[in-house]
Amino acid sequence: ETENLKHKKNLIARLKEVIEKEENIGLAYNAYKEIHEAWKNVGDIVREKRDEIQHEYSRLLEDFFYNMKIYRELKDHDLKRNTQLKLEVIAQLNAIKNNESIREIEGALKTLQNEWEGIGPVANDDWEDLKAKYWENVRVIYDRINTFYDERRVSLNENLKRKKELLAEAGALLADYATYETTKMWEEATVKLLALQETWKTVGFGPRKENEEIWQKFRALCDEFFSNKKAFFGTIQDKFVKIAEEKQKVIDQAKALKDSTDWKETADKLVQLQKAWKNTGHAGQKLEQKLWTE
């Protein structure tokens, strides 16, 4: 009887611990069944302790079932609340499907998925339906995102292809620069290159890495073209200045003859000066007309 008393006191202590510490209803109920089954199998205890021990155990049972009732009510409330929260997430997923900004859709989707994962459990009867609706919306959004990036990838590659064509055309203009022997030829090539630059501006972006690489190549070609043009015009300007100096000498010689009355000799000299003028070459658009008029 003394050993049985000790055993029942241990069972009471275990039941107290379950009541005070175990918040999981399933685990608490399993522990109660184990304790109660053990209690029933304990034999008699000393007579003077029977009422006291039984009363304490009965009181603990009342506390236990009261707590179970409260826990169930709280759990039911939490399950309903979680169901409502998950329905709100589903509604928001449905609302963002038609957003025009893919970047905003991606950000919102990530946030809503995190919210969904953070919501606690729902009633078993509701779970399958909620899960199906959730993944249906998520898949639709992912399909739209993937379609956008697939189409964008195609567009980026088409833009890159067009830019490669413009690069090749610019390269051809630069490759022929050694054949540009006149200002007219350089100006015609410049008009073509400027047109290529304007077209380049209208072409959208290519893939990020390739887009930067091809832009650097195109810009380098343009810089080299205009550098060669500048060098050409610098050289030809020096040539114009020298021609202008030679023509000025012809003008000075003509001035020296303008008051002469030795008609035959002066006429012959003027004819020679006219030939020299023609043979000197063109002094450029800026100087030629002025010199000729003089």
Side-chain angles (χ1 to χ4, degrees), residues 189-205:
T190 300
V191 169
K192 292 178 181 178
L193 185 61
L194 292 176
L196 292 179
Q197 289 180 331
E198 289 303 313
T199 303
W200 185 282
K201 293 176 184 178
T202 65
V203 180
F205 288 103

Side-chain angles (χ1 to χ4, degrees), residues 33-231:
K33 287 196 297 182
E34 180 186 341
I35 292 169
H36 193 60
E37 194 63 30
W39 182 274
K40 291 190 295 182
N41 292 328
V42 177
D44 291 335
I45 62 174
V46 292
R47 182 182 296 276
E48 59 271 19
K49 291 289 185 177
R50 287 178 187 172
D51 290 343
E52 178 186 340
I53 290 298
Q54 186 60 47
H55 177 74
E56 185 173 3
Y57 183 68
S58 297
R59 181 181 60 79
L60 287 174
L61 288 180
E62 290 178 3
D63 291 344
F64 174 80
F65 285 111
Y66 176 77
N67 286 352
M68 288 300 99
K69 181 175 180 296
I70 295 299
Y71 286 153
R72 285 195 184 93
E73 290 175 353
L74 290 174
K75 183 179 180 181
D76 288 343
H77 177 270
D78 287 344
L79 293 176
K80 290 177 182 179
R81 176 60 177 161
N82 292 341
T83 297
Q84 182 59 40
L85 291 174
K86 286 185 180 289
L87 285 172
E88 290 175 5
V89 169
I90 291 170
Q92 291 180 68
L93 286 171
N94 188 56
I96 68 170
K97 285 191 296 189
N98 298 320
N99 194 319
E100 292 185 2
S101 171
I102 292 296
R103 180 168 294 183
E104 290 180 7
I105 290 176
E106 288 180 302
L109 177 60
K110 183 177 180 180
T111 299
L112 291 172
Q113 286 184 303
N114 288 336
E115 285 185 21
W116 177 272
E117 295 299 330
I119 298 171
V122 300
N124 290 335
D125 292 343
D126 297 330
W127 173 236
E128 291 301 326
D129 182 55
L130 288 170
K131 184 171 66 172
K133 290 179 179 177
Y134 170 76
W135 282 111
E136 179 184 353
N137 281 278
V138 170
R139 278 192 290 271
V140 169
I141 294 172
Y142 271 125
D143 286 345
R144 186 180 170 200
I145 291 173
N146 291 334
T147 299
F148 170 82
Y149 282 110
D150 288 342
E151 292 175 351
R152 184 184 180 190
R153 196 174 297 110
V154 170
S155 176
L156 291 176
N157 287 329
E158 288 177 351
N159 292 340
L160 180 62
K161 180 181 177 182
R162 180 62 181 129
K163 287 185 174 182
K164 285 181 178 179
E165 293 171 354
L166 294 173
L167 181 67
E169 292 180 52
L173 287 174
L174 181 63
D176 292 340
Y177 86 93
T179 65
Y180 304 151
E181 298 176 349
T182 64
T183 57
K184 182 180 179 182
M185 295 176 72
W186 271 104
E187 292 304 332
E188 288 175 350
T190 300
V191 169
K192 292 178 181 178
L193 185 61
L194 292 176
L196 292 179
Q197 289 180 331
E198 289 303 313
T199 303
W200 185 282
K201 293 176 184 178
T202 65
V203 180
F205 288 103
R208 181 175 298 178
K209 181 181 177 182
E210 292 88 343
N211 191 72
E212 181 61 24
E213 289 177 355
I214 199 168
W215 161 242
Q216 294 297 338
K217 290 178 181 178
F218 183 75
R219 187 172 67 176
L221 283 177
C222 293
D223 290 344
E224 188 175 352
F225 175 89
F226 285 110
S227 176
N228 291 335
K229 180 183 177 182
K230 182 178 180 182

